[in-house]
Amino acid sequence: MFRSRAEKKVADAGYDPSRLPPGQYLTEKWPVLHAGSVPTVDLATWDFRIWGEVENPIRLSWEELEQLPSSEVTVDIHCVTRWSRFDTTFRGVHWSELAKLVQPKPGARFAVAHAEQGFTSNVPLEAIEADDALIAYGADGEPLTPDHGWPLRLMVPSRYFWKSAKWLRGIELLDHDRPGFWERYGYNNNADFTKEERYGF
Ligand SMILES: Nc1nc2c(c(=O)[nH]1)N[C@H]1C(S)=C(S)[C@@H](COP(=O)(O)O)O[C@H]1N2
Ligand SMILES: [Mo]
């Protein structure tokens, strides 16, 4: 038996219903969600920085970022507004490649993603160290579209999708946690969708 109509729909679509986190429903489309507007980005002046609790802060141009080894992962994404999308394939640079360059200090435990227009999101460092997380520039075989974060976004599949900052410009490592944009607005700091950590601390 299914716990909900939403689970039955997942099974009818040919997926294992246990893939649907509590309180979510499956969508075939990929909705677009963000505060503010889609920023205008010029790759010629664009840069990506990593700073904070690192031995060697870096600033990469688009060309330099593109030349780093890339990898691909296929993940399910879960928005706090209750839609889930299964099997999106992302391409990008794994954190481990960037960690080789910056060398996080032993005290580095949290990451703040910095995006265009001052948007931020925070995660424990383990969340971006995970095998299936990426600093992503492609999805489903194409470059990201502007509304999904082109040229670069964070993709942290272990949390509700608001942690996955679009139009990413940098990552700051910290020895303490610092709530980001939606977290300060009342969204849950940890955002584990398996526990429905949606709102409140
Ligand atoms: N820069 C930026 N990134 C953001 C947001 C935002 O407002 N600004 N919203 C987040 C939220 S709430 C969600 S659900 C996802 C949506 O990503 P999508 O539009 O690619 O589905 O982006 C996240 N990343
Ligand atoms: Mo969201």
Side-chain angles (χ1 to χ4, degrees), residues 4-59:
S4 62
R5 286 178 64 89
E7 270 198 0
K8 181 169 187 311
K9 196 184 147 203
V10 171
D12 290 346
Y15 300 106
D16 177 351
S18 71
R19 274 171 76 175
L20 192 71
Q24 298 291 111
Y25 67 87
L26 182 66
T27 176
E28 305 288 328
K29 301 168 301 189
W30 186 355
V32 169
L33 237 119
H34 51 260
S37 55
V38 175
T40 310
V41 173
D42 177 4
L43 287 188
T45 54
W46 183 95
D47 62 7
F48 178 68
R49 294 169 54 226
I50 303 177
W51 75 98
E53 292 291 309
V54 297
E55 300 294 347
N56 183 36
I58 56 171
R59 177 180 173 275

Side-chain angles (χ1 to χ4, degrees), residues 30 73-80 85 88 90-91 93-95 110-114 119-137 144 148 152-166 168 170-171 183 189-194:
W30 186 355
V73 293
T74 299
V75 298
D76 299 344
I77 56 189
H78 309 290
C79 177
V80 71
R85 183 174 198 254
T88 305
F90 287 94
R91 173 166 288 279
V93 179
H94 190 262
W95 169 255
F110 298 93
V112 174
H114 290 261
F119 182 88
T120 55
S121 70
N122 59 311
V123 287
L125 191 53
E126 308 90 81
I128 60 171
E129 288 172 337
D131 287 343
D132 60 357
L134 273 185
I135 319 298
Y137 43 68
L144 290 174
H148 288 302
L152 193 71
R153 78 177 299 161
L154 186 62
M155 200 285 292
V156 181
S158 61
R159 300 298 197 279
Y160 283 120
F161 208 37
W162 85 74
K163 297 281 189 183
S164 294
K166 304 195 276 192
L168 185 67
I171 293 179
E183 291 80 8
N189 195 56
N190 191 48
D192 179 348
F193 51 77
T194 69

Side-chain angles (χ1 to χ4, degrees), residues 48 50 58-71 91-102 135 137 152:
F48 178 68
I50 303 177
I58 56 171
R59 177 180 173 275
L60 301 174
S61 67
W62 176 253
E63 288 72 29
E64 289 166 330
L65 184 90
E66 250 188 339
Q67 279 161 23
L68 295 176
S70 71
S71 49
R91 173 166 288 279
V93 179
H94 190 262
W95 169 255
S96 57
E97 294 297 335
L98 298 164
K100 282 182 205 164
L101 302 177
V102 299
I135 319 298
Y137 43 68
L152 193 71

